[in-house]
Amino acid sequence: MQSIFERHGYKGIKVNTHAFRHELNTEMHRAGLSQLLIDAFSGRTSMGSVYNHETVEERTQRVAHYHPKTKHSNAAQRLEKVKTNQPLSLSDVKDLHEGDQDLVIHQTHVGICVHNFASEPCPKMGACLTCGKLGCVKGDDVKLANLKEERADLKRRYEKALDAKSRDIFGASEWVKKVGMDLYKCNALIRTLENPELENGDIVWNVDNGWTLTNNAAAMAGLMDANVIEDKNEQLPSLDELSAMLDDIEV
């Protein structure tokens, strides 16, 4: 009786069925699964490290990848993690100083967020385009498409705000300013991410508008002057400049 290998022209190869179990376990190790998960998947009640046939070189490289003395995260590795929804740590996106704690960071629909959610909830209530802790990764086409959808929505809202302002509706001027600034920053992020001079995996950091839940509460209570917060954003355009720039945005 011929084996499956002999039937397909591979003579001299003999493999028993249990060998495939060893091969599958080895490939799971190479893919980065923990021994605990592999044991659970394989239905074992004890550690089955004997099933791991990785070479010494493979094991050494994996340890070196995670060891703080030898690991290095370049732009290509970072982009691969983002595209495949792998966990990202703070050290993957920025240089840590001595004493800084490395944390797993959050991914949003438009980029990555380096806010420490272990210390407090989002101080921006999810308004990513107002936050300086938002980073957009060049080459992440999914999040770039999300940014473009966001821009189209902001463009519609901005036009409605302008219409409301023209009819002297109360609060419309602030609406124009708020939505217009978000539209300006969203468009700037998109244009920067589409710049061919940037390498895939590079991070474009957003500009913070200075407002948080705490600052907003303090301003409403009269404990902080709103102008003090907004004066910190000198790099952002005035309302007139903003209007002129937004007229040229096409979505």
Side-chain angles (χ1 to χ4, degrees):
M1 181 177 178
Q2 286 186 320
S3 70
I4 187 172
F5 297 105
E6 291 172 332
R7 288 201 301 270
H8 290 277
Y10 297 96
K11 296 182 179 180
I13 298 178
K14 293 183 179 180
V15 179
N16 59 44
T17 55
H18 192 67
F20 292 106
R21 184 176 176 86
H22 281 254
E23 174 63 21
L24 179 58
N25 275 248
T26 301
E27 291 303 323
M28 286 192 285
H29 275 287
R30 286 173 176 152
L33 273 70
S34 69
Q35 184 66 60
L36 183 64
L37 284 175
I38 295 173
D39 289 338
F41 174 82
S42 302
R44 289 190 290 267
T45 57
S46 59
M47 185 177 293
S49 56
V50 68
Y51 286 84
N52 182 11
H53 297 283
E54 287 180 295
T55 64
V56 174
E57 289 78 11
E58 286 177 316
R59 299 187 193 199
T60 303
Q61 287 175 1
R62 187 167 69 249
V63 171
H65 178 74
Y66 290 103
H67 196 280
K69 295 293 185 182
T70 56
K71 79 170 185 177
H72 58 280
S73 177
N74 57 33
Q77 290 172 328
R78 179 166 55 236
L79 179 59
E80 181 64 21
K81 284 187 175 183
V82 170
K83 283 187 170 183
T84 55
N85 288 321
Q86 296 181 49
L88 273 174
S89 61
L90 194 59
S91 59
D92 286 324
V93 300
K94 61 188 299 187
D95 294 330
L96 299 182
H97 301 292
E98 187 174 353
D100 288 347
Q101 183 181 5
D102 200 5
L103 305 168
V104 174
I105 62 176
H106 179 63
Q107 292 200 44
T108 76
H109 68 298
V110 292
I112 57 175
C113 173
V114 295
H115 176 68
N116 184 0
F117 287 89
S119 63
E120 63 171 341
C122 175
K124 299 282 190 175
M125 292 291 288
C128 296
L129 290 175
T130 70
C131 185
K133 294 182 179 180
L134 168 69
C136 297
V137 182
K138 163 78 172 181
D140 186 355
D141 297 330
V142 173
K143 292 187 175 64
L144 178 59
N146 290 342
L147 271 173
K148 290 182 177 180
E149 286 187 12
E150 186 88 7
R151 181 177 63 181
D153 180 62
L154 286 167
K155 179 72 170 177
R156 289 190 292 269
R157 288 161 56 191
Y158 180 69
E159 290 169 351
K160 288 184 178 180
L162 287 177
D163 177 65
K165 183 182 177 184
S166 69
R167 291 184 284 117
D168 294 325
I169 293 179
F170 178 76
S173 295
E174 285 300 313
W175 186 17
V176 169
K177 181 179 178 182
K178 168 66 174 64
V179 178
M181 194 63 71
D182 286 349
L183 177 56
Y184 164 76
K185 291 166 73 174
C186 186
N187 187 63
L189 284 171
I190 292 170
R191 292 183 63 180
T192 306
L193 290 169
E194 291 182 333
N195 185 344
E197 295 183 3
L198 254 64
E199 292 186 12
N200 283 341
D202 285 346
I203 301 177
V204 180
W205 293 103
N206 193 30
V207 178
D208 199 291
N209 69 352
W211 284 97
T212 63
L213 286 173
T214 304
N215 288 348
N216 187 57
M220 291 179 67
L223 302 175
M224 180 180 291
D225 186 353
N227 292 326
V228 174
I229 300 173
E230 295 177 352
D231 285 345
K232 294 179 180 179
N233 293 295
E234 296 178 355
Q235 68 271 44
L236 296 178
S238 66
L239 187 56
D240 290 338
E241 293 172 330
L242 183 64
S243 298
M245 286 186 286
L246 295 181
D247 287 339
D248 298 328
I249 294 179
E250 296 182 1
V251 295

